[in-house]
Amino acid sequence: MTAAGILGLAASVSLLSGWRLYVCVFVTGLAMHFGWIAMPAHLHALDVFANPWVIAVAGVGAVAEFFADKVMWIDSAWDSVHTLIRPVGGALLALAIVDPGDPTWQVIAVLLGGGAALLTHGAKAGTRAVANASPEPFSNIALSTGGDIATTGLLLTAFASPWAAIAVAVMVVVVAVAVLVLLRSFYRRVVRKRGTPAR
């Protein structure tokens, strides 16, 4: 895989881990375990992603997240707990995939991977908080199921081709930024309606 493909894959996986961390760890672990992507050569500690126990725990986490994400308010509590966990996971996934030998690039991979996961996590958590304000439960289930399908499909697409990985990364960044802009606009409208000055 070319350097651009590796960076695209790392970016895609980090961004998608802000939506579904455990699915990303599970799929990346399987990819390393079965040789679809190279095991880290410079950072041997991150070989742990390919460990069957880690893959199994990530699978259990993915199942738990699948159900927790469908229930109103439990999904927001889950997102709150994962505000710290997802960026760390995204940073470690980026570091494992890029596997730089130079400490400078290791720091860059951690910063960009963690920042990417935090960006998409913020968009997801904000959207779900708005959906929880609705009294009916169906929008929550629809958003969650859409997130499951999108994350899994985009993740498999990213692993299938380096160019697809780059396209997935760009698309996810655009969607996340657009969602955050819309959420900010929604928040300002709500604040204005209540008569409190918006910041």
Side-chain angles (χ1 to χ4, degrees):
M1 192 180 288
T2 64
I6 290 169
L7 290 173
L9 181 60
S12 297
V13 172
S14 297
L15 287 159
L16 292 170
S17 69
W19 288 344
R20 298 283 188 273
L21 173 63
Y22 300 106
V23 169
C24 291
V25 172
F26 180 76
V27 172
T28 303
L30 285 177
M32 288 181 172
H33 185 77
F34 290 109
W36 302 332
I37 59 172
M39 298 278 272
H42 301 291
L43 302 163
H44 293 292
L46 295 177
D47 289 357
V48 73
F49 280 118
N51 183 300
W53 284 103
V54 172
I55 294 169
V57 168
V60 170
V63 171
E65 185 166 53
F66 176 84
F67 289 108
D69 206 50
K70 304 287 183 290
V71 182
M72 188 184 298
W73 299 114
I74 291 178
D75 64 335
S76 288
W78 184 272
D79 283 340
S80 296
V81 169
H82 284 80
T83 298
L84 293 176
I85 297 171
R86 286 179 182 147
V88 171
L92 291 175
L93 285 165
L95 197 55
I97 293 169
V98 174
D99 187 32
D102 181 354
T104 303
W105 284 103
Q106 291 175 5
V107 171
I108 290 169
V110 166
L111 292 174
L112 292 179
L118 185 61
L119 172 74
T120 51
H121 168 73
K124 175 191 183 287
T127 303
R128 299 310 293 279
V130 169
N132 282 337
S134 170
E136 46 76 30
F138 303 110
S139 57
N140 242 18
I141 294 170
L143 282 170
S144 178
T145 304
D148 295 331
I149 294 168
T151 302
T152 306
L154 291 172
L155 195 56
L156 295 175
T157 302
F159 275 104
S161 156
W163 294 110
I166 294 167
V168 165
V170 170
M171 185 181 73
V172 173
V173 166
V174 169
V175 169
V177 169
V179 166
L180 289 171
V181 168
L182 288 172
L183 288 171
R184 182 175 184 270
S185 172
F186 175 77
Y187 168 74
R188 291 181 70 141
R189 275 200 313 271
V190 169
V191 168
R192 230 180 278 124
K193 204 178 268 188
R194 291 185 178 173
T196 308
R199 292 180 182 175

